Structures are given as structure tokens and as C-alpha cells.
Amino acid sequence: MARVVVRPYGQIVLLLLIIGFFGAIGVTYLAGGAFAERDWFTVILGVVFVPASLFGMWRTVRLGATLDVEGIHIRGQIDSRDEYLPWSAVASIECAVIDYRLVAAIHGPVLIGPDGTPAAVIPALGSYSRRRAERRTEQLRAIRAAAVDG
């Protein structure tokens, strides 16, 4: 089985636009003559915004899940750690409510361990649409079946 990468492209584009906006603000602060005017507050904001936005963009383009013969590598949101689970630690993959934002539920794949408890959640593949989440969950099930059987 070849390595498969599943990414939430819509979420990635939206986050890149938002984070890029803040990066552009930081560059504007630094290029706007703040050093010459000795406006240290603006310089500090620029120095904070530019590296933070670069880090955020780097983490954003890595969102998703990478599946191979060995297991699944989950690259979560910007503020979370990456997780790796071997296929032996995953008994099944279910679609369930993984989070609530504002007033709507977010559905997504949940990896169930051999003991029947949730082993990991894949928030990057979550969606407000239950149908889209089910489709992504079916993709993961098919990839898992190919990896375990093959």
C-alpha cells in the first residue's frame, strides 16, 4: 500500500488567508518606518506577528492524516501535538460528534482502540456536514482495510 495523505483543503485555504493577513500586518508594521520613528510598540508587534504567522502557516499546510502500512500519523490543529497510532491500536473507525463550535456540532472520524474506547480523534478531518464526515470516515476505513489485509 502506498502512503495516503488526507487533508482538509478548504480549512487549509481559509486558515492560510487569515494567518497570512496577520503576517502582512506584521510586515507592514516593520516596513512602515517604525524603526526610524522609534515606535517600539509597533516594532514589537511586527516582530511577534511575522514569526507567529510563519509558524502558523507551516502548521496549517501540514494539517490532516497520513496513512501507510504501519499506521496513521495525525497532524492536528495548530495548537496540538502530532499523534501516531499503529494499525494494531485501531480496532475500528467510527464517525461521531468530535466537537461543538458556536451552536453546531462537528462530526469526524474517531479511531476506536481494541478495548472499545476512543484511541484518537482526527479534528482536521471534521466537518459541520455529517455526510462529508461519513465520506471521509469511509475513506479511512477503506485505507485501513487495505493496510491491514495487504
Side-chain angles (χ1 to χ4, degrees), residues 24-82:
I25 289 173
V27 169
T28 304
Y29 282 167
L30 293 176
F35 283 110
E37 296 173 8
R38 302 218 188 267
D39 183 4
W40 299 117
F41 181 73
T42 304
V43 169
I44 290 171
L45 277 178
V47 168
V48 169
F49 277 14
V50 171
S53 64
L54 290 174
F55 176 74
M57 287 179 170
W58 174 69
R59 287 290 292 182
T60 297
V61 297
R62 297 179 70 231
L63 282 176
T66 304
L67 301 97
D68 59 13
V69 177
E70 302 295 321
I72 182 167
H73 190 102
I74 303 166
R75 293 192 172 114
Q77 303 295 343
I78 293 170
D79 60 345
S80 65
R81 303 190 99 202
D82 295 350

Side-chain angles (χ1 to χ4, degrees), residues 7-8 11 63-65 74-77 98 121-126 136:
R7 295 190 189 280
Q11 183 181 6
L63 282 176
I74 303 166
R75 293 192 172 114
Q77 303 295 343
I98 58 173
V121 175
I122 309 175
L125 300 181
R136 288 180 179 163

Side-chain angles (χ1 to χ4, degrees), residues 126-140:
S127 175
Y128 289 109
S129 167
R130 173 94 179 163
R131 212 171 340 161
R132 182 177 294 143
E134 285 286 350
R135 233 182 356 253
R136 288 180 179 163
T137 304
E138 283 301 320
Q139 283 179 321
L140 291 177

Side-chain angles (χ1 to χ4, degrees), residues 66-127:
T66 304
L67 301 97
D68 59 13
V69 177
E70 302 295 321
I72 182 167
H73 190 102
I74 303 166
R75 293 192 172 114
Q77 303 295 343
I78 293 170
D79 60 345
S80 65
R81 303 190 99 202
D82 295 350
E83 291 182 60
Y84 178 77
L85 283 174
W87 289 124
S88 60
V90 179
S92 66
I93 302 173
E94 304 296 328
C95 185
V97 175
I98 58 173
D99 198 6
Y100 289 95
R101 299 221 178 115
L102 298 176
V103 294
I106 296 178
H107 304 276
V110 177
L111 306 175
I112 306 297
D115 58 354
T117 61
V121 175
I122 309 175
L125 300 181
S127 175

